[in-house]
């Protein structure tokens, strides 16, 4: 799927937009979470797609759609593996932009775009989830994990972004909670802004 010219064209468009937008916004009052692109980047995107594609018909959950960069990678994996993506974003305009981009890549039909506060939505959202990407605001990682943990399928893969700064692990409360989960194996990888990749054992419930 990542060889599909529509996917590559949209990916190239993202890379151009990200560079332009962040250069334009640097030093302006709009250089905040609402306006800036803060994508996982190509290496993490590729890794997300490789991992999600390794699952059979994965039910994928993403916290923090933003403008849809990581959603594009996840949707490509979902398409190939016969799965589906549910992605949550606080801001309507970001979600709408993401939907347009995914539509251009002919991938919007495998994605459910939800708008609102992830914690509110998670309280009412049922899994089971086979693959989860956590990439919204950092103080929400732990409360989000506490809500979604019971909804993880046996064998589920959990990826959290922005887990390293200057080589030091961040979001320690969240990372500790993941590591303390029975049956969970976890590794910190210096890919992009640092990710923690975890997998729940198949026998664990
Ligand atoms: C780092 S960006 C996500 C980047 C995206 N995953 C990508 O790779 O393109 C974090 C996003 O989380 C969103 N966000 C922040 N708080 C949120 C909340 N409470 N619920 C849902 N989304 C939230 C922000 O608006 C922002 O777009």
């Amino acid at each position: 799927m990542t060889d599909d010219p529509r996917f590559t064209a949209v990916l190239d468009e993202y890379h151009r937009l990200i560079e332009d937008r962040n250069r334009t916004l640097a030093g302006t009052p709009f250089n905040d979470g609402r306006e800036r692109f803060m994508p996982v980047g190509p290496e993490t995107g590729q890794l997300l797609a490789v991992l999600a594609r390794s699952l059979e018909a994965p039910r994928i959950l993403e916290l923090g759609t933003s403008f849809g960069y990581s959603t594009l990678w996840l949707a490509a994996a979902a398409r190939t593996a016969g799965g589906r993506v549910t992605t949550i974003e606080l801001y309507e305009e970001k979600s709408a932009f993401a939907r347009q981009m995914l539509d251009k890549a002919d991938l919007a039909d495998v994605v459910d775009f939800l708008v609102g506060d992830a914690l509110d939505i998670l309280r009412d959202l049922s899994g089971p989830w086979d693959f989860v990407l956590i990439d919204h605001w950092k103080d929400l990682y732990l409360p989000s994990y506490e809500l979604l943990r019971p909804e993880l399928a046996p064998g589920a893969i959990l990826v959290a972004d922005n887990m390293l700064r200057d080589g030091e692990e961040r979001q320690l409360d969240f990372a500790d909670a993941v590591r303390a989960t029975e049956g969970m194996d976890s590794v910190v990888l210096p890919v992009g802004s640092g990710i923690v990749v975890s997998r729940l054992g198949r026998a664990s419930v």
Side-chain angles (χ1 to χ4, degrees):
M1 176 67 215
T2 51
D3 294 338
D4 187 308
R6 289 165 298 186
F7 171 87
T8 345
V10 173
L11 193 63
D12 288 347
E13 190 178 342
Y14 266 122
H15 290 155
R16 281 195 304 276
L17 283 169
I18 290 161
E19 206 178 303
D20 287 354
R21 190 178 180 107
N22 289 348
R23 195 177 38 233
T24 313
L25 291 178
T28 76
F30 304 107
N31 190 24
D32 64 10
R34 187 166 186 142
E35 301 285 343
R36 267 181 65 213
F37 276 87
M38 296 166 285
V40 291
E43 276 191 318
T44 303
Q46 182 80 60
L47 182 59
L48 291 173
V50 167
L51 291 172
R53 214 172 45 212
S54 71
L55 303 170
E56 204 174 311
R59 293 152 295 191
I60 299 170
L61 173 67
E62 175 180 54
L63 308 183
T65 318
S66 187
F67 295 97
Y69 181 85
S70 46
T71 321
L72 180 74
W73 287 101
L74 294 172
R79 167 80 83 223
T80 308
R84 209 166 168 81
V85 181
T86 298
T87 183
I88 304 176
E89 168 55 47
L90 189 57
Y91 297 114
E92 172 71 50
E93 63 271 28
K94 287 180 151 185
S95 183
F97 184 93
R99 187 192 292 269
Q100 275 176 26
M101 294 295 271
L102 274 281
D103 202 30
K104 271 195 228 178
D106 196 26
L107 287 168
D109 62 313
V110 294
V111 182
D112 297 314
F113 294 90
L114 305 186
V115 176
D117 177 69
L119 294 181
D120 289 342
I121 292 175
L122 283 175
R123 280 186 197 103
D124 294 328
L125 195 66
S126 301
W129 305 111
D130 302 297
F131 188 98
V132 178
L133 171 63
I134 302 188
D135 189 24
H136 50 354
W137 291 166
K138 308 318 151 210
D139 54 338
L140 301 176
Y141 278 32
L142 178 60
S144 299
Y145 179 66
E146 285 168 346
L147 288 170
L148 66 84
R149 161 68 192 92
E151 303 297 324
L152 291 178
I157 295 176
L158 178 76
V159 179
D161 192 38
N162 296 304
M163 294 298 290
L164 290 174
R165 177 176 284 164
D166 301 327
E168 295 294 320
E169 210 176 325
R170 309 166 74 196
Q171 295 26 291
L172 282 177
D173 54 352
F174 160 77
D176 288 346
V178 172
R179 284 190 274 262
T181 304
E182 196 185 338
M184 192 73 95
D185 291 317
S186 239
V187 61
V188 187
L189 298 175
V191 176
S193 357
I195 56 175
V196 170
V197 179
S198 311
R199 184 152 206 199
L200 194 60
R202 289 208 164 269
S204 180
V205 181

